[in-house]
Amino acid sequence: MLTPDMILDATLLPAMLIALVAGLLSFLSPCVLPIVPPYLAYMGGVSVTELEETRDARRRVLLAAGFFVLGLSTVFLLLGIAFSAMGRALLAYQDWFLWIAGFTIMVFGAHFIGVFRIGFLDREARIEAGDQGGSAFGAYLLGLAFAFGWTPCLGPILGAILGLAAQEADLGRGATLLAIYALGLGLPFLAVAAFFPRLKGAMGFLKRHMARIERISGLLLWTVGLMMITGQFSDFSFWLLETFPFLATLG
């Protein structure tokens, strides 16, 4: 028999799945994927050719990529805590907040699908971290700069996850969602650093299908916004527990 506590715990599960997929789609976005090899090479203090041909260079780049992911995760965790705190403060107005947040996310989704274009979302805002290539601390700084400055390209997808974190209105649960998002965005960086020669073909394929990836991102955003407006997360969570009872033990 399902209890209210079980349903409440399960509401985090679909949000975590969405956060993971959102992180992966952020990595595949047109302003991230194309710059991954030169960015990684710069962080490791090597050339792209060395990254492709030298195993020792890939080890150096993998270490730098780890600190880079740690830097961007730091920012995302802080954002998760901040938005969860905001959600708690606005708990009395949560229905209005969720409707506004959901509607905004649906607008972003329509932009990516191609229903219409929003000018400022087609521009990138980058923060340079100076000449920090080749050091772990420099890679960490670049991770911080990436998380803060790679907007508005990451903004719409990240905004959807921050909206979910605010909906949770719990610091731990909000931080968990942003940690999962950082995982989805960060793991591909580590994979490319470790296996760049093997992944060159796959990355080339993804670059050729950027438009389709962008539409998938838009569909995800539009769906998340609609679920926030209609309260479908609770229904989806109930369905998850009914279909997969073992999930009740994860809460």
Side-chain angles (χ1 to χ4, degrees):
M1 180 178 178
L2 297 178
T3 67
D5 288 340
M6 291 163 59
I7 296 173
L8 179 62
D9 289 337
T11 57
L12 190 60
L13 296 175
M16 289 172 63
L17 177 60
I18 290 170
L20 181 63
V21 173
L24 291 171
L25 289 175
S26 293
F27 176 82
L28 298 175
S29 64
C31 61
V32 176
L33 183 63
I35 55 85
V36 170
Y39 220 68
L40 288 173
Y42 171 74
M43 287 189 294
V46 301
S47 67
V48 175
T49 301
E50 289 175 313
L51 177 61
E52 182 177 357
E53 298 177 352
T54 309
R55 183 173 298 179
D56 182 62
R58 288 197 292 277
R59 290 197 189 98
R60 292 175 58 189
V61 170
L62 182 60
L63 177 63
F67 280 91
F68 172 81
V69 171
L70 183 62
L72 64 87
S73 298
T74 300
V75 175
F76 292 148
L77 285 173
L78 292 175
L79 286 174
I81 292 172
F83 272 74
S84 298
M86 183 180 69
R88 180 182 295 178
L90 297 176
L91 203 57
Y93 308 97
Q94 192 172 50
D95 290 342
W96 281 101
F97 173 77
L98 291 179
W99 194 93
I100 294 171
F103 177 78
T104 303
I105 291 168
M106 290 179 71
V107 170
F108 288 155
H111 161 85
F112 282 125
I113 292 172
V115 177
F116 50 78
R117 303 301 295 184
I118 303 173
F120 77 90
L121 293 180
D122 289 323
R123 296 194 298 269
E124 301 172 22
R126 306 184 186 185
I127 296 176
E128 299 295 337
D131 186 14
Q132 300 291 345
S135 71
F137 180 66
Y140 179 77
L141 291 181
L142 282 172
L144 295 176
F146 184 96
F148 275 119
W150 224 266
T151 56
C153 184
L154 296 181
I157 295 179
L158 177 59
I161 306 307
L162 292 175
L164 293 177
Q167 182 181 6
E168 292 294 333
D170 180 273
L171 300 186
R173 292 160 72 95
T176 296
L177 285 183
L178 270 296
I180 296 296
Y181 174 79
L183 187 70
L185 178 59
L187 282 180
F189 275 100
L190 298 176
V192 173
F195 307 107
F196 179 63
R198 300 180 188 178
L199 295 178
K200 276 189 69 178
M203 293 182 68
F205 174 83
L206 292 171
K207 288 178 184 178
R208 292 191 299 271
H209 293 81
M210 279 295 180
R212 184 172 298 177
I213 292 170
E214 192 171 38
R215 287 194 293 271
I216 292 173
S217 301
L219 182 60
L220 173 69
L221 287 174
W222 195 90
T223 303
V224 169
L226 183 63
M227 292 178 72
M228 291 176 69
I229 289 174
T230 60
Q232 291 299 307
F233 272 113
S234 296
D235 293 340
F236 185 42
S237 301
F238 186 86
W239 176 84
L240 279 177
L241 281 177
E242 289 284 0
T243 308
F244 308 103
F246 73 90
L247 294 176
T249 64
L250 301 178

